[in-house]
Structures are given as C-alpha cells and as structure tokens.
Amino acid sequence: MRVLGVDPGLTRCGVAVVDGGAGREVRCVAVDVVRTPIDADLAVRLLSIADVVESWLDTHRPDVVAVERVFSQYNVRTAMGTAQAGGVVALAAARRGLPVMFHTPSEVKAAVTGSGRADKAQVTTMVTRLLDLPERPRPADAADALALAICHLWRAPLRNRLAEAEARAAELARRHRARLAAAARNGGAR
C-alpha cells in the first residue's frame, strides 16, 4: 500500500509518500515541505498547497491519503489555517476518488513511538530509524508527514478487519430481525 501523509499547515505543510510492505515494513518514497508566505492572501496560500498536493497525487499515485486531524490548539487562528489546509488536501484526494483518513496527533505519536505523549524529537528519531533514513527529516513537519503515513500503514489492517467484523455483525443482526419478524407474522397467523 502506498500512503500520502500530510501534516497540514498554512506556513509549512509536510507531505510524504511511504510504501508499506509485509508486516511492519515501510519505505520512504518522497518527503518535502510546502511553504507559503505568511503575508500572502489566504486563497493564494491554499492554492499553493493544493497545487503541490495535486502534483504529488499525480506523480506518486497513492492508494490512500492520511491527514493529521486538527485536534485541539489554543491558537484558534492556527487551528483554522491547519483545518483549511487539511480540507484542501482532502478535496484534492476526493476528486481522484482516493480515500482520506484522519489521524489525531496522539494516534500518530503512539503508532511510531509507542507513546501518545511523545515529543517532536522522539517522533523524528523513530521515523528516521523506522525508515532507515540517512539523516533526520527537517523541519519537523516533514517528519510528521512521514509519521502520519506510517501510522496509517500500521493501523489500516486493524481498521479494515474491524470494519469487516462490524459489517458482518450488522448483516447477522439484520437477518436475525428478519427471522424474528417472520416468526411473529407466522405465529400471529394461527
């Protein structure tokens, strides 16, 4: 599976493509950070991010896009910009029929470090080790985008099995209700 991981942001937006193999095998395909000037118009900044993301989607052809979910930030303005950048990414993926999965920062940290409270340095260190990179990805937005892709690769099989189990359970429940309704109709006809 190939995942485009995106750490959304208006000033710096991390983008990374990671391939997943058997088990927990992961390989970095590409990583970069999209930068937009803080003094540029919001629409222009979002367009810059969209252009780069669309180019990455066309070039790398991921199977899924993993985006960091805006969880909680004290600075509302920063949270809004992050959410807007994430929305642009989701839109670009949806136009190509690609699934978009959102992961919280604590999910990502837990997936790559084992602790949902890991700091950025710990995430960067683990991403560097897991992907066997020759040097630490910089800035932290690049490491975060790689971590998002890894998180999705490792969590997707479990999510898929859970969704399949829920679908089977719903189908069994539907059949059971149908049998009960048929039994009630047949019992009431006597």
Side-chain angles (χ1 to χ4, degrees), residues 32-98:
D32 200 2
V33 174
V34 182
R35 299 170 196 276
T36 66
I38 59 172
D39 58 346
D41 182 65
L42 173 63
V44 172
R45 295 175 82 184
L46 291 172
L47 180 60
S48 295
I49 293 167
D51 287 346
V52 171
V53 168
E54 288 182 8
S55 174
W56 276 59
L57 291 170
D58 293 340
T59 300
H60 297 290
R61 304 213 178 272
D63 301 304
V64 63
V65 177
V67 181
E68 184 174 275
R69 178 183 304 279
V70 178
F71 192 59
S72 67
Q73 293 183 354
Y74 299 106
N75 185 333
V76 174
R77 188 176 180 144
T78 301
M80 289 297 295
T82 301
Q84 290 166 324
V88 165
V89 172
L91 176 65
R95 283 196 169 139
R96 288 162 177 78
L98 293 173

Side-chain angles (χ1 to χ4, degrees), residues 2-7 13-19 27-34 52-53 56-57 60 62 64-66 127 131 133 137 141-150 153:
R2 177 168 281 192
V3 179
L4 172 66
V6 181
D7 179 34
C13 180
V15 291
V17 175
V18 176
D19 283 343
R27 184 179 67 82
C28 178
V29 176
V31 62
D32 200 2
V33 174
V34 182
V52 171
V53 168
W56 276 59
L57 291 170
H60 297 290
V64 63
V65 177
V127 163
L131 294 168
L133 299 174
D141 310 270
D144 289 347
L146 289 164
L148 274 153
I150 293 168
L153 283 164

Side-chain angles (χ1 to χ4, degrees), residues 151-166:
C151 172
H152 184 76
L153 283 164
W154 289 353
R155 293 176 60 99
L158 177 60
R159 281 187 177 192
N160 292 344
R161 285 194 303 274
L162 183 59
E164 289 169 5
E166 288 172 344

